[in-house]
Amino acid sequence: ECPRYDRRLALQHEGSRIARQAVEIRAVDAGEGFQPIQRAGGTIWGRKAELRERQSSQEIQFSNGPACIVFISDLHLGGSGTNYPRIRRDIEIAREIPNAGVFLVGDLVDNFVIQKLAEARHESRLAISDEWVMAEHVMSMLGPKLVACVAGNHDEWSRRLGGVDVLRSLTARVRKGVIYDTDEAIVTIRVGDASWRVRARHKWLGSSIYNAIHGQGRAARWDNNADIYVGGHTHRGALYGTLNVGDRLVHGIQLGAYKEIDAYQRREGFSMAAPDAAMALILTERRRVIPCDSLEEARRVMEGRL
């Protein structure tokens, strides 16, 4: 049966159970785009340099802890093998977690617009325009919980072919101030006096069949510029690991996909994925990091029900 949008996904502002939270975001948000910044001066370099500096000093501030960041990737809206009930369930849970924010890490839609993927397009039952309609409703459902969004390769195909960044526009319409980047977001998350530097991108350079967070670990060892490295793309399931980089403990997260029945994966013989797709990190004011690959358990912890 052709997957279709369930109107219950839409955010119901009246009577919503979204918990109150105190979150402040200082960043280059989705509504700005890459327009000239007047106060940067008249040169192209001046504008680019200021933008780069602002991107390196983005912050998400929680006034108190513990706080929870929910990382979600690879929804692949429009795919016939995408688990839509699971997407709805995870988003509804994420909305209900107190003192939390949601960080999207790419591939919101299938978006098979490039010619070399025409075969995959033939297997789809929804038009690409339908995929973006679904994406808009999913983003609206996240509403005030959304704090940051990074594009994936599937989202980027529209921008590369037509010059229109549809995901940026959707992110800007959710609410003002949401962090957005086409490639990589570097964000400092503060919980009380504790802080972590997060570096999130959809696809990391380097891979290993034996280590799901190889790309994140490679970046940590070579660049050593973050505390938490997050990625998606590989559809290998929600996995967490730690690395010793010098005298520091670094956290690596690999997210899973909601496209659970994937003809490409089956044809190529890729390994089976871990069961969970999203990952939550609970951050305390004592600078402890508690990973949770079950959003339901993360909600229970944040509600004090364990």
Side-chain angles (χ1 to χ4, degrees), residues 166-220:
V166 184
L167 183 57
R168 180 191 292 276
S169 299
L170 291 183
T171 305
R173 289 203 294 271
V174 170
R175 68 183 179 90
K176 185 177 181 180
V178 176
I179 296 168
Y180 179 82
D181 201 286
T182 55
D183 303 295
E184 176 178 288
I186 299 176
V187 183
T188 297
I189 298 178
R190 301 188 185 277
V191 180
D193 294 329
S195 67
W196 297 261
R197 191 170 173 85
V198 177
R199 186 176 168 192
R201 61 181 301 120
H202 183 68
K203 181 180 180 181
W204 289 92
L205 185 62
S207 63
S208 167
I209 62 173
Y210 304 108
N211 180 9
I213 59 169
H214 173 81
Q216 292 89 320
R218 179 182 183 275

Side-chain angles (χ1 to χ4, degrees), residues 38-246:
Q38 296 299 326
R39 57 188 170 83
T43 66
I44 294 176
W45 168 248
R47 294 193 294 270
K48 288 290 186 181
E50 181 177 351
L51 179 61
R52 184 174 183 178
E53 182 179 351
R54 292 177 63 206
Q55 288 174 324
S56 67
S57 59
Q58 302 179 121
E59 293 186 2
I60 298 172
Q61 175 77 57
F62 291 86
S63 60
N64 60 281
C68 181
I69 299 293
V70 176
F71 295 97
I72 299 178
S73 177
D74 293 278
L75 280 74
H76 288 280
L77 298 172
S80 58
T82 297
N83 190 333
Y84 295 97
R86 189 174 189 179
I87 290 174
R88 181 171 61 246
R89 182 200 66 191
D90 281 1
I91 290 177
E92 288 175 347
I93 294 173
R95 286 175 53 202
E96 295 172 351
I97 298 176
N99 209 32
V102 175
F103 202 131
L104 293 181
V105 194
D107 281 3
L108 186 62
V109 292
D110 254 352
N111 201 33
F112 290 126
V113 294
I114 59 178
Q115 186 59 38
K116 70 177 183 179
L117 292 174
E119 177 187 354
R121 179 77 250 161
H122 294 158
E123 297 176 1
S124 178
R125 297 184 180 183
L126 289 178
I128 292 174
S129 58
D130 295 328
E131 295 179 9
W132 285 112
V133 169
M134 296 176 71
E136 184 172 12
H137 284 288
V138 165
M139 296 285 276
S140 297
M141 188 177 181
L142 287 171
K145 288 292 185 179
L146 187 64
V147 295
C149 179
V150 177
N153 56 305
H154 285 244
D155 312 309
E156 278 283 275
W157 291 332
S158 292
R159 185 178 69 88
R160 293 177 183 178
L161 286 178
V164 178
D165 193 339
V166 184
L167 183 57
R168 180 191 292 276
S169 299
L170 291 183
T171 305
R173 289 203 294 271
V174 170
R175 68 183 179 90
K176 185 177 181 180
V178 176
I179 296 168
Y180 179 82
D181 201 286
T182 55
D183 303 295
E184 176 178 288
I186 299 176
V187 183
T188 297
I189 298 178
R190 301 188 185 277
V191 180
D193 294 329
S195 67
W196 297 261
R197 191 170 173 85
V198 177
R199 186 176 168 192
R201 61 181 301 120
H202 183 68
K203 181 180 180 181
W204 289 92
L205 185 62
S207 63
S208 167
I209 62 173
Y210 304 108
N211 180 9
I213 59 169
H214 173 81
Q216 292 89 320
R218 179 182 183 275
R221 291 188 174 94
W222 282 98
D223 301 333
N224 194 17
N225 65 346
D227 304 298
I228 301 170
Y229 293 78
V230 185
H233 186 66
T234 62
H235 295 207
R236 295 175 72 173
L239 302 166
Y240 168 86
T242 56
L243 302 163
N244 285 321
V245 179

Side-chain angles (χ1 to χ4, degrees), residues 226-304:
D227 304 298
I228 301 170
Y229 293 78
V230 185
H233 186 66
T234 62
H235 295 207
R236 295 175 72 173
L239 302 166
Y240 168 86
T242 56
L243 302 163
N244 285 321
V245 179
D247 59 350
R248 298 194 312 119
L249 181 67
V250 172
H251 308 269
I253 295 174
Q254 177 61 46
L255 300 171
Y258 291 88
K259 181 180 277 189
E260 297 182 8
I261 303 173
D262 189 344
Y264 179 72
Q265 179 189 43
R266 189 162 183 251
R267 182 170 63 248
E268 297 297 321
F270 295 151
S271 60
M272 299 295 290
D276 293 292
M279 174 73 70
L281 283 189
I282 298 172
L283 308 174
T284 76
E285 295 183 67
R286 295 188 298 276
R287 210 173 183 277
R288 305 301 297 175
V289 176
I290 305 170
C292 194
D293 58 9
S294 165
L295 298 191
E296 176 61 41
E297 290 304 308
R299 178 173 63 180
R300 292 175 62 87
V301 171
M302 292 298 293
E303 291 175 347

